[in-house]
Amino acid sequence: MRVADFFCGAGGFSEGFRQAGFRTLFAVDKWLPAVNTHHGNHPHSNTVLDDVERISLLPDKEFHELVPDTEIIIGSPPCVAFSNSNKSGKGDKSLGIKLLESYLRIVARKKYKLNSILEYWILENVPNIEKFIKPSYTANDLGLEGDFVLQVIHENSGVYNSKNFGVAQNRKRFLCGEFPTPQLIILEDRDVKPLKSILNALGDPMESLNRLIDDPNYNFQMLSRDITDHHFIKELAPHEWQKAKQLKEDKGYMGRMSFPEDINKPARTVMANSSVSSRESIIYGYKNNRYRVPTVRELASVMSFPIDYNFFGDSRGVKSKLVGNAVPPRMAFAFAKSIAEHLGRAVPDHYRPIQHSVESNFTNLNHTVFIINEEKPKKDTARFKYHIPYLIIKAFRVELTNYKSDFDKKEFVWDVEIHKSQGPKAKIYTPLERSIIFTDKNLESKIQLFVDSMEHYLVSFNQFQRQHCLTSEQRLGLLGPNELLDSVKEFIIKTVINITDSDVIQIKEEPKTIPTVIAIGYVVLTKLIEKMRSIENE
């Protein structure tokens, strides 16, 4: 049976259907590396560089001449608009909805044409799209003529996790359309495939180039040196992994994440972003107290791409984006298999090697030397907003920020705030420091002694901004915002001995009641910032 793949990306969806014995006849994407990758691994498909929305709006004759009739349509509209990682899920959804409707318009035009052969169609996206997709769409909803109603949501529509299909990744996706319910391969979390199964199979990227590698997802072997985009090391500089570590382990109200990755569990969701210093960065331990990012091949195998699948791009970033945007092939295979079984068709019982396109230029990252990045000074208007590290009690935290500065005039202001919770429940409090009175006079004396001891490090707000923008090495002996927060945290650790997280203090201003340790952090930091406020800017 024939398949058409829209927003085909690197071809993970098509690959799953290929392994189940189907043939992708037509595929489209508007990103050239995606088109090259799909064509390079699915050379029998007519893979075109085009805009799906434009195609969906073509006049009938042009539309049906370009898009062939197929029994199956699959598609994964770009998910950035609907992702929770896009402004915490609050990003503009209009473009995402437009692309979603473009895909549904294509499905409808093929499904309700005269003598249609379309039998199955599947839409894949992030779970959050479920809030924005309607159960059904009329012809008018899709800008088409006719009186049909395209039923989009069925009983088996919902969120599926790739780990339940044998993928070594905890990746939840929403799928809907017209398809038989796929069979879950793994039902219990204790049986899911861990990240270490991928890393152990592929081995150290810089060693054992002559050994045979067993594909961690499929039953075939390749010589290690013939596996592309794996034999290189992208090591992280200390300033990169230290920032990532802090964001993973101490990101305010957000949950703690493993650093480095916990290889005994399925990998976290592979993202299209190849950043090395973010909360979402995937980081592996490397030798003694060193860290690296995954190779492109490691990411691809985590996504369940076979080791003979090639990714066409001229950089690690482009190739990683191709992988991160894809549909995991083993997950796609499960849906393809359900269709095959529904039709009474036999599914291949062994992996068939990929027949690569011979005319495409391919860049192999093997043996590329990646220089460890040097820390660069921040731009002079760099913003700062962070809390006293590892101090979050009952959703309260004490934050230091320069967000109220006049960045155009470069007149900088530093403030201290008490934050509580997140999202709709988020609150920010700035009670007067003098309104917080401790019954323990000895504590007040210790606070004052500490503030006095820090005085010779304090500078004006503008100078504090300049010191914030220096590199870690340039800032040795100087006080930046991170150093200031670390100093306050160290004081709290040494001072707060008999005070527990359950101890609270009452104040006249909002929030009326705050944890005592949070109150101490707020008072100390506020006293220091007020002293800096009194220093005249240069």
Side-chain angles (χ1 to χ4, degrees):
M1 292 183 75
R2 295 158 294 184
V3 179
D5 190 348
F6 293 89
F7 307 103
C8 65
F13 225 155
S14 288
E15 175 59 20
F17 274 79
R18 182 191 76 86
Q19 292 176 21
F22 297 98
R23 180 184 178 188
T24 298
L25 200 66
F26 178 78
V28 59
D29 202 283
K30 66 185 298 183
W31 188 35
L32 184 58
V35 171
N36 290 339
T37 298
H38 192 281
H39 176 68
N41 295 280
H42 304 275
H44 301 299
S45 167
N46 176 26
T47 307
V48 299
L49 180 70
D50 209 331
D51 179 62
V52 172
E53 183 186 12
R54 186 196 78 84
I55 292 173
S56 76
L57 296 170
L58 286 173
D60 272 359
K61 185 174 185 300
E62 291 180 57
F63 175 77
H64 292 295
E65 284 178 352
L66 175 62
V67 182
D69 290 344
T70 59
E71 290 84 2
I72 302 169
I73 291 178
I74 55 179
S76 184
C79 62
V80 175
F82 301 110
S83 175
N84 281 325
S85 65
N86 180 21
K87 298 182 180 179
S88 299
K90 298 178 181 178
D92 184 12
K93 306 295 188 297
S94 57
L95 177 58
I97 291 172
K98 183 183 294 186
L99 296 176
L100 163 67
E101 291 178 351
S102 297
Y103 175 70
L104 297 177
R105 186 179 300 118
I106 288 172
V107 169
R109 293 183 75 173
K110 285 298 181 181
K111 180 177 175 64
Y112 296 108
K113 66 166 286 190
L114 186 64
N115 300 320
S116 171
I117 63 171
L118 180 64
E119 296 184 49
Y120 308 96
W121 66 273
I122 309 174
L123 181 147
E124 184 265 5
N125 214 283
V126 295
N128 203 41
I129 198 176
E130 189 173 6
K131 301 174 185 176
F132 302 94
I133 194 167
K134 298 193 294 186
S136 61
Y137 289 77
T138 65
N140 186 62
D141 289 336
L142 299 174
L144 299 173
E145 295 181 356
D147 58 359
F148 65 81
V149 176
L150 178 67
Q151 191 69 30
V152 173
I153 305 299
H154 295 79
E155 286 187 0
N156 58 1
S157 297
V159 175
Y160 294 83
N161 195 324
S162 65
K163 71 180 183 181
N164 297 123
F165 298 102
V167 180
Q169 178 185 194
N170 188 15
R171 186 185 189 92
K172 294 180 179 180
R173 286 297 185 266
F174 178 79
L175 289 101
C176 63
E178 295 182 67
F179 54 85
T181 303
Q183 181 179 357
L184 302 182
I185 297 173
I186 297 171
L187 300 177
E188 302 291 338
D189 278 352
R190 64 174 180 269
D191 299 324
V192 296
K193 194 169 190 173
L195 172 59
K196 66 181 178 183
S197 67
I198 304 296
L199 301 182
N200 290 344
L202 294 177
D204 189 307
M206 301 304 288
E207 297 176 2
S208 305
L209 299 183
N210 293 314
R211 76 180 178 97
L212 281 174
I213 300 292
D214 290 311
D215 188 291
N217 296 295
Y218 307 96
N219 187 25
F220 77 102
Q221 295 179 319
M222 283 181 65
L223 194 63
S224 179
R225 67 172 64 253
D226 294 331
I227 296 175
T228 61
D229 298 329
H230 180 56
H231 303 299
F232 67 86
I233 293 291
K234 170 62 176 172
E235 185 175 351
L236 299 182
H239 73 273
E240 292 175 316
W241 67 256
Q242 286 167 3
K243 180 180 179 182
K245 183 176 188 292
Q246 184 180 46
L247 291 173
K248 288 172 181 291
E249 296 182 342
D250 184 38
K251 180 59 174 173
Y253 51 80
M254 301 178 76
R256 185 183 178 95
M257 298 172 70
S258 296
F259 179 90
E261 300 303 312
D262 185 347
I263 64 173
N264 294 308
K265 297 178 180 179
R268 291 183 297 104
T269 301
V270 174
M271 309 288 283
N273 183 351
S274 60
S275 168
V276 298
S277 297
S278 69
R279 181 173 163 83
E280 291 74 27
S281 301
I282 295 178
I283 297 175
Y284 298 157
Y286 175 61
K287 301 189 182 297
N288 294 326
N289 298 317
R290 292 157 66 185
Y291 301 92
R292 68 175 179 90
V293 295
T295 67
V296 173
R297 181 56 53 193
E298 287 168 335
L299 291 176
S301 289
V302 164
M303 286 284 287
S304 75
F305 278 97
I307 55 178
D308 61 345
Y309 205 95
N310 289 330
F311 298 89
F312 289 74
D314 57 6
S315 70
R316 185 187 69 86
V318 169
K319 289 173 181 269
S320 297
K321 183 176 180 180
L322 285 164
V323 174
N325 276 336
V327 177
R330 281 183 68 92
M331 187 175 183
F333 172 81
F335 285 80
K337 183 181 178 183
S338 73
I339 293 175
E341 291 176 342
H342 189 253
L343 294 168
R345 291 167 51 101
V347 176
D349 60 0
H350 63 279
Y351 177 78
R352 296 173 301 153
I354 291 173
Q355 297 178 358
H356 296 100
S357 171
V358 294
E359 71 263 16
S360 298
N361 293 323
F362 178 72
T363 299
N364 188 353
L365 296 183
N366 281 352
H367 313 302
T368 299
V369 176
F370 289 94
I371 304 300
I372 297 178
N373 294 333
E374 291 186 7
E375 185 179 5
K376 297 178 180 179
K378 304 176 187 69
K379 62 180 182 179
D380 58 4
T381 55
R383 297 179 181 240
F384 184 89
K385 184 180 180 64
Y386 209 77
H387 59 275
I388 299 174
Y390 302 97
L391 188 70
I392 304 166
I393 302 174
K394 296 180 180 178
F396 284 97
R397 59 195 185 278
V398 180
E399 296 212 350
L400 174 65
T401 177
N402 66 356
Y403 274 34
K404 294 180 183 177
S405 302
D406 187 329
F407 291 97
D408 292 330
K409 295 182 179 179
K410 296 183 180 179
E411 295 175 355
F412 299 100
V413 176
W414 292 83
D415 288 294
V416 184
E417 302 168 340
I418 295 176
H419 286 239
K420 184 182 182 184
S421 299
Q422 62 166 317
K425 296 181 179 180
K427 300 288 185 181
I428 299 177
Y429 305 104
T430 55
L432 293 173
E433 176 259 316
R434 64 175 178 270
S435 72
I436 301 176
I437 301 173
F438 301 105
T439 56
D440 184 352
K441 298 304 178 184
N442 187 41
L443 174 59
E444 289 190 340
S445 297
K446 288 181 179 180
I447 290 175
Q448 194 57 52
L449 283 172
F450 171 71
V451 171
D452 292 342
S453 73
M454 291 289 294
E455 194 157 6
H456 66 286
Y457 293 107
L458 304 180
V459 293
S460 69
F461 281 171
N462 280 2
Q463 181 59 29
F464 195 55
Q465 176 73 20
R466 284 191 282 271
Q467 291 174 189
H468 162 50
C469 296
L470 299 175
T471 65
S472 301
E473 186 175 346
Q474 293 171 334
R475 206 165 49 245
L476 285 176
L478 300 175
L479 191 71
N482 282 310
E483 289 82 4
L484 180 59
L485 291 174
D486 287 342
S487 297
V488 174
K489 179 61 186 294
E490 186 178 351
F491 166 76
I492 291 173
I493 291 173
K494 291 179 178 178
T495 305
V496 178
I497 300 174
N498 298 319
I499 302 175
T500 68
D501 289 356
S502 60
D503 290 327
V504 297
I505 187 171
Q506 305 293 327
I507 62 176
K508 293 181 179 180
E509 299 178 73
E510 292 293 338
K512 301 295 186 182
T513 302
I514 51 176
T516 302
V517 177
I518 293 295
I520 293 171
Y522 181 75
V523 168
V524 172
L525 195 53
T526 299
K527 284 180 176 289
L528 291 168
I529 290 300
E530 287 307 310
K531 280 186 173 290
M532 293 172 66
R533 195 185 306 275
S534 66
I535 301 174
E536 186 176 347
N537 282 322
E538 296 82 353

